[in-house]
Amino acid sequence: MTTSMSTHTTPSGYLLPSIHSMPPFFTQQPNPATQATVTENWTRLILSYARHRRLFYLRVEDAETKGSEWDEVLRNERINRRLMPSHMSFIMADMVSKNLAVYEPPRQTRTVLLHWRLPEEWAEVLHEWASSTAQLNTILTFYEIIEPPVPSPLSGIPATLLRRAVAILTKTNRAQVIAVADGEGVRFLPGNPAR
Amino acid sequence: MSLRRYTKGVDGTIPVQALLYEDEELLASQDGIGIYDGTDKSAPHQSGIAYATTHRLFYVDAMHPDARSFEMDLSHVARTEYYAGLFTSSPKVTLYLHPIETPPSPVDGPSGGLAASEDPAFLSWTCDVCNYRNPPGLSPAASRICALCGVPRSATSSSTDGETTSSAAYQLSSSLPSSSGNFSRVTTSSSSSPRPASPPPQGPNDEIACPICTFLNHPALTMCEMCGTPLPKRVAPPRASQQIHAKSAPASRPTSPLPDKDGPDSRMIRLSFRKGGDKTFYAVLRRSLLGKGWELKSTKAAASSHARNKSAPGQTSGLSGINGILRNVETTAATSQTDMEDALKDFEALTVKWRDMVKLAQDLNERLTAAPSTSTTASALPSFTTPSGAAPTSANAEVLTTQAVEPEEATFIRSSLAQLGLQMANAPVTLDMIRDERRWIEELARELAGVLQGGGGKEKREGIMRQRGIVGLDEVWGGWNRARGVALIPPSTFLQVIPQLPQHTDPPIHMRTFTASGLSVVHTPPYTKAAFTARLVGLLSLAGPQTTVQVAREEALPIGLTQEMVNEVEDEGEICRDEGGSGLNVTAGLSGSGWASSGGGEVRLWVNIFQGYVWDGQKP
């Protein structure tokens, strides 16, 4: 067994931390202080990988079965270790408690929506995108934002997260939700973000 | 017929419990009872509640509890018969009664004196012998003897306090007025008592004048408020009693008893159970009859006095009264005195034996010590107890067969004694050797140090610790007490001694307790938490990840103990673990629910790699 600590670059181009090659990283530690470090590193790894791959959801099933988009981090074939589902549930609960994820849909603990950007950050990104693409004061449907003709930083954002971001903008008078024929639309206004 | 002769009227409005004698007990009750007087139904007693007590049978009528209820002494019952019932006929219990020798006839019940002697229950009377005033309310049998000294109530007493009895008769008549309708005996006894010719003077307001001091007492009083003289109970005016008599006389006269017609048929009473409950009631009644509660007290007293006076058989009959009581007390005191003396003698003998035993153990030890020392000098062997020395010793033994104590056997005994911890230079330290408790603990600590580490440097003996650096507390305690043999040390004292241990041991021996399991051990300095942690971390960083078993082998410690110590180090955060488990095997991982039970992989201990780890992965 190798005990050397070294970083590793995955086929998707993600640089795994050296700790990922240490077997104890995949074990839930009985010592709470040690486990806190483990959880912190796992959280960072998951969020960073999610941003890298633009993944929004993490499910317990991803740890249970092989073949999910998370395999690169949840398993380490080189040291024959994988993250146990119970350990993963523990980490997910910790992330939710730190607002780095939310259970989505609510009232279950099997799936989380990852906040690799906080809703407030998403709101800023959204407004930035709207103004940079000159779509202020025009009415956009949610679909047009999620699936824009030109790929944007918001492509594929879950509707719930988008709604939350829009709601934040509405509070600061930088967006307006309008009912349109085929559902809801939103109009972005040139607000002053400093205010 | 039988009803009138064997039963007495009671006021059924009073709860039965209140009618009981002091030594009587209510056993069972049953409603829906009809009474047969002889073979015929008794018309007035067709629906009521029957109560069975240890002494009596009560019948309380449902319609007219005040007028038609009665009680009957169970002592009258000769035998019983049970009839289970057939179709419309209810189950019945028949009570066959003893013939009464002197049947009191209701008409010519002559005097209050007779009535009082019949029913002494309501009287209080003074014992001739001890002057104890016996309270009323006891059953007839119990009230026939003095409750204090057991002397039978003498016949003279009733005559001497005729005043009391006659007044009691008045009291009886007025306390049970309801019975007069059916049972004229009581009424007539009061009306035809010898006193009415000279009735006590009565005040205009129904106050009763004391016959001695003439004080006018309140009618509720039974004794004169001034001088304590029993008061004659106020009787109804003669006219009123005459009316009752006139009313009751025609009813009672046709059925007045004819003694020669007293056949067995007429001497029985039947209880008809209209509403069931017959079996249980009959069972209770039978038990009560067998128990003979009405004579229980006297027999019990006789039996107990009999038992106490086994030393003087044949005198039991004469053992009543104060003499009997005094003799009982003397006998009991003598017996307990003898018992106490015997016990003390036994105890003294035991004490003497104990000293002998200690002396014997000392002798044996000294002789065994003497024998090896001679053989050691002869063969110049360094030690008897070292395992490597065993073979040369046995060879040596062949040479030294002429010695009084065979060295081979002695060696064997001594080495096994040492193994068991049964090896002490001196007799065990006991509290009576040293008065001061602190000094005692100190001495004990010194003794325990010897047991743990062997004697001084000169004597080549090994203690319980042997080569080990860490020993369970239970083993130490057991070994020490085995070595002491006598005057064993209780765990509380043992725990007091342990803190004194480092001052007497070299290297100092401390105690530590593992928090997780509560296991306590004594150990030498290399086994403190810090020392072990340093050693373990060193081992892990040098030899790579290790399992607990590997660590135990390295430390030459039991696996369980190693696990405890490793857990403590892990709690400190100095090491972490890799469960490995099922690796990438998916199915095995599914069954595992947590780190404690995942897969069958061995836990490998790692140096805590997370300590001071800095993220070196992809940065956003």
Side-chain angles (χ1 to χ4, degrees):
Chain A
M1 178 180 296
T2 173
T3 56
S4 61
M5 286 177 76
S6 59
T7 53
H8 180 81
T9 308
T10 65
S12 73
Y14 180 76
L15 180 69
L16 284 169
S18 63
I19 199 137
H20 194 258
S21 61
M22 305 304 282
F25 189 52
F26 293 83
T27 298
Q28 197 168 350
Q29 299 293 330
N31 184 328
T34 310
Q35 178 58 35
T37 318
V38 172
T39 310
E40 184 194 323
N41 282 304
W42 267 113
T43 306
R44 182 159 185 180
L45 176 59
I46 287 167
L47 290 179
S48 138
Y49 187 72
R51 183 190 286 266
H52 174 74
R53 294 275 310 267
R54 291 190 62 79
L55 300 173
F56 288 94
Y57 286 101
L58 179 64
R59 297 167 194 84
V60 176
E61 287 80 10
D62 294 331
E64 283 168 357
T65 53
K66 197 176 154 76
S68 84
E69 52 210 343
W70 286 95
D71 272 359
E72 280 179 5
V73 292
L74 300 185
R75 308 174 154 258
N76 190 340
E77 308 275 353
R78 290 164 293 126
I79 59 166
N80 192 30
R81 292 289 182 276
R82 68 191 183 92
L83 190 64
M84 290 296 153
S86 58
H87 193 183
M88 172 115 130
S89 296
F90 178 86
I91 293 165
M92 277 161 56
D94 187 74
M95 289 171 77
V96 168
S97 74
K98 289 173 179 158
N99 194 32
L100 297 171
V102 287
Y103 288 121
E104 179 65 43
R107 286 186 293 282
Q108 53 83 46
T109 56
R110 302 278 297 172
T111 308
V112 288
L113 173 62
L114 297 167
H115 284 173
W116 46 269
R117 268 187 191 130
L118 291 174
E120 292 77 15
E121 293 169 338
W122 278 115
E124 293 306 322
V125 171
L126 182 59
H127 197 261
E128 180 101 354
W129 169 75
S131 53
S132 66
T133 52
Q135 295 187 87
L136 292 179
N137 294 319
T138 51
I139 295 169
L140 293 165
T141 62
F142 279 14
Y143 178 79
E144 281 172 313
I145 299 171
I146 293 167
E147 305 254 329
V150 182
S152 78
L154 296 156
S155 299
I157 185 173
T160 47
L161 194 54
L162 179 61
R163 237 175 257 281
R164 227 165 279 157
V166 168
I168 289 165
L169 288 179
T170 314
K171 272 192 201 128
T172 51
N173 285 327
R174 290 187 288 161
Q176 211 178 353
V177 179
I178 290 157
V180 292
D182 52 346
E184 276 177 304
V186 59
R187 177 162 60 180
F188 293 99
L189 306 164
N192 183 6
R195 193 178 60 189
Chain B
M1 194 60 198
S2 324
L3 264 189
R4 286 190 47 245
R5 292 177 50 210
Y6 288 94
T7 63
K8 274 178 274 181
V10 291
D11 187 351
T13 52
I14 303 170
V16 173
Q17 281 83 350
L19 292 170
L20 300 183
Y21 299 130
E22 250 171 32
D23 49 349
E24 196 177 9
E25 216 181 314
L26 184 61
L27 298 174
S29 66
Q30 178 60 45
D31 63 349
I33 298 288
I35 301 290
Y36 282 61
D37 190 2
T39 48
D40 306 319
K41 278 188 185 175
S42 170
H45 310 108
Q46 282 312 302
S47 170
I49 307 173
Y51 296 90
T53 75
T54 50
H55 290 59
R56 287 178 288 180
L57 183 69
F58 284 88
Y59 171 84
V60 176
D61 197 78
M63 306 298 290
H64 306 282
D66 52 342
R68 292 178 175 175
S69 308
F70 65 83
E71 48 137 288
M72 188 186 75
D73 282 356
L74 287 179
S75 57
H76 293 310
V77 177
R79 66 195 169 85
T80 57
E81 202 172 70
Y82 176 66
Y83 166 70
L86 192 69
F87 302 120
T88 57
S89 133
S90 314
K92 288 180 186 65
V93 168
T94 311
L95 309 173
Y96 294 94
L97 306 170
H98 289 296
I100 294 183
E101 288 81 22
T102 53
S105 83
V107 181
D108 53 3
S111 67
L114 180 59
S117 69
E118 257 180 49
D119 193 357
F122 298 105
L123 301 184
S124 76
W125 57 280
T126 309
C127 177
D128 289 5
V129 177
C130 64
N131 212 29
Y132 174 69
R133 193 171 174 82
N134 284 281
L138 287 171
S139 65
S143 63
R144 243 170 251 133
I145 48 169
C146 174
L148 186 67
C149 66
V151 172
R153 186 181 184 179
S154 69
T156 52
S157 68
S158 64
S159 65
T160 47
D161 48 9
E163 190 70 37
T164 317
T165 51
S166 67
S167 69
Y170 288 122
Q171 181 187 345
L172 192 68
S173 64
S174 57
S175 70
L176 299 168
S178 57
S179 61
S180 57
N182 267 324
F183 303 98
S184 52
R185 189 180 73 216
V186 179
T187 319
T188 50
S189 73
S190 68
S191 61
S192 61
S193 69
R195 293 281 167 184
S198 58
Q202 288 181 1
N205 298 329
D206 294 337
E207 287 156 331
I208 306 170
C210 172
I212 306 294
C213 67
T214 70
F215 179 77
L216 291 177
N217 286 286
H218 187 271
L221 293 172
T222 56
M223 279 165 46
C224 176
E225 206 172 350
M226 288 291 119
C227 62
T229 313
L231 288 176
K233 192 75 183 175
R234 192 182 67 82
V235 291
R239 259 188 304 128
S241 79
Q242 206 63 39
Q243 278 172 352
I244 294 167
H245 196 87
K247 225 195 270 176
S248 64
S252 60
R253 195 154 289 153
T255 54
S256 64
L258 298 170
D260 44 340
K261 213 190 122 189
D262 208 11
D265 249 18
S266 59
R267 276 192 280 114
M268 64 186 208
I269 285 175
R270 257 183 206 153
L271 305 179
S272 175
F273 292 82
R274 306 265 149 78
K275 286 186 187 165
D278 48 310
K279 285 215 175 84
T280 46
F281 192 85
Y282 183 57
V284 169
L285 192 63
R286 272 180 63 96
R287 213 180 312 134
S288 178
L289 283 167
L290 285 171
K292 290 190 194 294
W294 54 92
E295 52 186 43
L296 197 62
K297 183 159 185 172
S298 50
T299 54
K300 204 201 291 169
S304 60
S305 73
H306 196 87
R308 270 184 304 216
N309 293 288
K310 267 185 283 184
S311 55
Q315 292 184 15
T316 47
S317 55
L319 276 181
S320 56
I322 290 186
N323 274 347
I325 296 170
L326 288 176
R327 204 166 304 159
N328 283 346
V329 171
E330 276 166 23
T331 320
T332 318
T335 316
S336 53
Q337 178 74 23
T338 324
D339 288 351
M340 192 64 79
E341 274 168 15
D342 283 356
L344 282 172
K345 242 174 254 170
D346 285 354
F347 183 69
E348 270 165 28
L350 197 67
T351 317
V352 172
K353 281 265 158 51
W354 173 77
R355 295 212 180 282
D356 285 353
M357 266 173 63
V358 174
K359 216 166 278 175
L360 197 68
Q362 249 169 308
D363 282 356
L364 181 68
N365 204 33
E366 272 162 26
R367 282 167 66 180
L368 283 170
T369 318
S373 62
T374 50
S375 66
T376 312
T377 46
S379 60
L381 261 170
S383 168
F384 265 72
T385 46
T386 46
S388 58
T393 309
S394 60
N396 204 27
E398 288 163 24
V399 183
L400 299 164
T401 39
T402 49
Q403 280 198 323
V405 181
E406 278 83 5
E408 192 179 5
E409 286 174 23
T411 309
F412 177 71
I413 290 169
R414 286 204 60 97
S415 57
S416 26
L417 282 177
Q419 288 291 314
L420 288 170
L422 275 171
Q423 195 183 39
M424 297 190 63
N426 300 306
V429 179
T430 51
L431 189 53
D432 56 350
M433 294 184 195
I434 296 148
R435 295 285 158 215
D436 185 17
E437 187 167 345
R438 262 189 58 197
R439 285 256 310 144
W440 182 52
I441 296 285
E442 204 122 305
E443 282 301 313
L444 284 177
R446 194 165 294 139
E447 182 184 306
L448 180 57
V451 170
L452 284 174
Q453 299 187 316
K458 270 197 285 177
E459 296 171 54
K460 303 279 186 170
R461 294 189 309 206
E462 54 185 14
I464 295 174
M465 300 284 276
R466 292 201 287 281
Q467 308 302 321
R468 299 175 290 174
I470 185 162
V471 182
L473 208 60
D474 50 342
E475 190 184 336
V476 174
W477 183 65
W480 188 22
N481 272 333
R482 270 205 303 274
R484 287 175 70 88
V486 291
L488 304 182
I489 296 296
S492 53
T493 312
F494 178 59
L495 289 176
Q496 275 181 299
V497 169
I498 289 289
Q500 308 294 324
L501 210 49
Q503 300 161 19
H504 301 281
T505 48
D506 179 42
I509 290 176
H510 291 267
M511 184 178 86
R512 75 185 261 204
T513 305
F514 297 110
T515 45
S517 64
L519 175 73
S520 292
V521 293
V522 293
H523 63 92
T524 50
Y527 292 92
T528 57
K529 194 190 274 185
F532 182 77
T533 305
R535 207 158 58 241
L536 181 62
V537 171
L539 173 73
L540 293 180
S541 41
L542 206 69
Q546 302 280 313
T547 63
T548 306
V549 177
Q550 283 169 322
V551 174
R553 195 181 303 145
E554 189 73 26
E555 291 279 322
L557 289 175
I559 292 172
L561 193 59
T562 311
Q563 187 67 59
E564 295 279 356
M565 294 171 74
V566 163
N567 285 350
E568 285 229 324
V569 176
E570 191 172 17
D571 282 348
E572 290 288 294
E574 293 297 329
I575 57 168
C576 64
R577 59 171 66 195
D578 162 35
E579 261 150 17
S582 50
L584 291 165
N585 184 354
V586 169
T587 48
L590 279 173
S591 60
S593 56
W595 55 266
S597 61
S598 59
E602 256 185 316
V603 175
R604 282 180 179 275
L605 305 171
W606 282 66
V607 183
N608 194 340
I609 48 165
F610 305 106
Q611 237 170 18
Y613 171 75
V614 183
W615 181 261
D616 55 358
Q618 179 146 331
K619 303 227 165 48

